[in-house]
Amino acid sequence: MKSEPPALATWLLEHIRFSNTDEALAGDLLEEFTRGRSAAWYWRQVLLAIVVGFGKEVRIHWILAIRATMIGLTVSTGVSMLLLFLIVPLHKHGIVALDSVPRFVPWALTSFLSGTISGWLVAFLHPNNRGAMLLTFAGALLIWSSMGRGVIPGSQPLVSLLIDYVIVIAGVVAGFLISRVPQAGAPSRPSQSPVC
Amino acid sequence: MVLLVLMRLGEDAYGVPICREIEAQTGREVPVGSVYATLERLEEKGFVSSELGKPTAERGGRAKKYFRITISGVREVRRTQRALRNLWNGLPQLERGMG
């Protein structure tokens, strides 16, 4: 018996679901892995399954994908601006002491929180197509980040951009995870039937 | 190709043997996700039907999904075979062994 397959790949496969065959697919990959396929093969199959499922989902529900992107970007930008408008006056009036923290912390916090709130909202509004809509929004958000954001104080532009990517994606993932927390009295897994 | 593989495998046609058979016949590795996407499309068209098997420990408690070709699927295979045969005929390059 072989060791367990890569945990992160399995997590991705289980959480980014696109159709009702995904469980059978996950079982097939596990079966093949235990019969001697490599971890690299497993990763390749998981990533290809996500790409294929994502492409199919967006092709079918392209209106939802546009809606998710528009809502996500609007909320993300709105939350970023709101937080900055709150932080700056609070700092000026001495309510929040930003001098004692590294300069990039408020900036990173703003990026993370805007990613979390917008990611949660996109996931919440699209329970049947959560994975595809979040991936679409995350892709659009990365492009948006490359174009619209400033440079982290005290760092190189490229490093700044990479850190921004990581923070934004971490925020979206956090929003996704929060959206998956089962509500009291609600079923633990949403229906897989398409809505559009 | 997937329909032909389903016909070859008969009762035991689920993801793993389907992919293995395609690999054996073509010599190329196929992404399991692509095979499932194709099967879903064929099922939507009515060429394939599916049913869930029992979950097994080997698969982490996940069920197999068995696929079977339908009558209209067999009809489609025959239609494609005829079309390919017609395309195949009358190609002088292939008839002279240049292909």
Side-chain angles (χ1 to χ4, degrees):
Chain A
M1 183 81 174
K2 249 184 120 170
S3 61
E4 292 292 306
L8 179 60
T10 305
W11 186 89
L12 285 173
L13 195 61
E14 284 174 351
H15 287 80
I16 307 177
R17 286 173 176 273
F18 296 114
S19 75
N20 54 10
T21 60
D22 285 357
E23 191 159 324
L25 188 146
D28 287 346
L29 295 186
L30 185 62
E31 188 181 326
E32 282 286 79
F33 182 80
T34 53
R35 284 182 185 175
R37 298 278 198 174
S38 66
W41 177 88
Y42 190 85
W43 261 112
R44 199 163 56 244
Q45 293 291 335
V46 167
L47 293 177
L48 283 169
I50 290 171
V51 169
V52 169
F54 170 71
K56 188 184 169 200
E57 194 90 343
V58 170
R59 221 172 27 249
I60 295 170
H61 305 295
W62 60 274
I63 295 175
L64 280 185
I66 292 172
R67 190 183 81 166
T69 304
M70 299 302 284
I71 291 172
L73 289 181
T74 306
V75 172
S76 167
T77 309
V79 170
S80 292
M81 289 171 71
L82 186 70
L83 287 172
L84 286 174
F85 278 126
L86 282 174
I87 287 172
V88 173
L90 288 175
H91 174 59
K92 272 186 184 167
H93 291 92
I95 301 167
V96 174
L98 292 178
D99 298 327
S100 55
V101 295
R103 288 171 67 194
F104 70 88
V105 169
W107 180 89
L109 201 64
T110 306
S111 280
F112 181 78
L113 283 176
S114 64
T116 304
I117 294 168
S118 52
W120 172 81
L121 190 66
V122 168
F124 178 77
L125 291 175
H126 306 90
N128 295 324
N129 312 86
R130 199 176 280 171
M133 295 308 125
L134 264 175
L135 279 179
T136 308
F137 164 57
L141 193 57
L142 288 185
I143 296 169
W144 183 252
S145 297
S146 326
M147 296 189 310
R149 304 245 176 161
V151 174
I152 299 174
S155 72
Q156 297 292 321
L158 186 62
V159 176
S160 169
L161 193 65
L162 289 175
I163 293 172
D164 194 22
Y165 279 176
V166 172
I167 292 171
V168 164
I169 291 302
V172 173
V173 170
F176 168 69
L177 292 175
I178 293 168
S179 77
R180 288 187 64 87
V181 174
Q183 304 294 312
S188 58
R189 185 179 289 173
S191 158
Q192 294 293 325
S193 61
V195 293
C196 179
Chain B
M1 190 188 292
V2 173
L3 288 176
L4 289 173
V5 168
L6 290 186
M7 289 173 83
R8 280 174 172 271
L9 292 172
E11 298 287 306
D12 194 38
Y14 70 96
V16 173
I18 294 170
C19 293
R20 283 186 179 253
E21 183 66 19
I22 294 172
E23 280 177 33
Q25 296 298 332
T26 63
R28 280 184 300 184
E29 184 183 299
V30 286
V32 184
S34 302
V35 171
Y36 270 101
T38 306
L39 286 164
E40 278 180 14
R41 208 168 54 240
L42 291 171
E43 193 168 13
E44 283 163 14
K45 288 179 178 174
F47 299 150
V48 162
S49 65
S50 68
E51 88 185 271
L52 281 178
K54 286 180 182 163
T56 59
E58 187 192 18
R59 299 165 57 85
R62 297 175 182 96
K64 291 173 184 172
K65 192 169 189 181
Y66 290 97
F67 294 91
R68 197 175 294 176
I69 189 164
T70 60
I71 292 169
S72 76
V74 175
R75 226 176 276 139
E76 183 62 22
V77 169
R78 288 215 183 97
R79 199 163 34 230
T80 307
Q81 186 190 29
R82 270 198 302 274
L84 285 174
R85 202 180 285 148
N86 290 339
L87 283 169
W88 202 266
N89 291 334
L91 285 177
Q93 299 96 321
L94 292 176
E95 282 168 6
R96 287 176 204 146
M98 288 170 67

